[in-house]
Amino acid sequence: MTWSWLTISLSDALIVLGKAVGIYVVLVAFTRLAGLRSFSKMSSFDFAVTVAFGSILAGTIITKKPPLAQSVVALAALFAIQYAVSVARVHSPLGRTVVDNKPALVMDGPEILTENLKQVQMSESDLFAKLREANVTRLEQVRAVVVESTGDVSVLHAAPDAPPIDEALLDGVRDARQT
């Protein structure tokens, strides 16, 4: 049996090591320049860019092409695009509308909003799994469940006799019952 796939020349190993260190240093530098939002997941666009960063890093390190310089340009371009999109989201309602998905209400108190679940392509079993993750033990504890613009699920819950939810927390959340 041959194990040739396990062998690597010293020069190839040094190239991989050099590219890994190089792209890592560049990523840290760009992240420091761009700030805390670089790897946030505040919108689905942010998530897609984060995945693209990972793809560039992996491709740079494990393949001979692209060369390190080309990968640095690709990272710089993604950081610049992400910065531009984040500025548009902050300063323009149109920017937010174009880039962001609108969060969706899937439970209003203990009531499961079946039509809203369908719109976000979520099953009741998915919903119940999220309720369990949030330590909900009775549906009466649920105040609201929102599928956020990132795809994350927020479960707002409290004791049944607790004060009502502050409606400001649900501003901008779509509800199919209202359309």
Side-chain angles (χ1 to χ4, degrees), residues 89 92-101:
R89 285 180 68 238
S92 164
L94 178 62
R96 281 187 296 278
T97 301
V98 169
V99 174
D100 292 345
N101 294 314

Side-chain angles (χ1 to χ4, degrees), residues 45-63:
F45 177 80
D46 293 328
F47 179 71
V49 169
T50 299
V51 170
F53 285 149
S55 179
I56 290 170
L57 266 62
T60 301
I61 294 168
I62 64 172
T63 62

Side-chain angles (χ1 to χ4, degrees), residues 57-114:
L57 266 62
T60 301
I61 294 168
I62 64 172
T63 62
K64 292 185 181 194
K65 290 187 178 185
L68 183 58
Q70 188 175 352
S71 297
V72 169
V73 171
L75 282 177
L78 280 177
F79 272 100
I81 292 166
Q82 185 181 39
Y83 178 78
V85 168
S86 69
V87 167
R89 285 180 68 238
V90 169
H91 298 291
S92 164
L94 178 62
R96 281 187 296 278
T97 301
V98 169
V99 174
D100 292 345
N101 294 314
K102 197 168 182 184
L105 187 68
V106 293
M107 277 187 79
D108 186 4
E111 178 188 359
I112 297 171
L113 306 176
T114 307

Side-chain angles (χ1 to χ4, degrees), residues 109-110 134-144 155-160:
N135 295 318
V136 170
T137 57
R138 293 188 348 253
L139 292 180
E140 295 81 32
Q141 295 172 304
V142 176
R143 299 305 177 90
V155 177
L156 306 174
H157 60 93

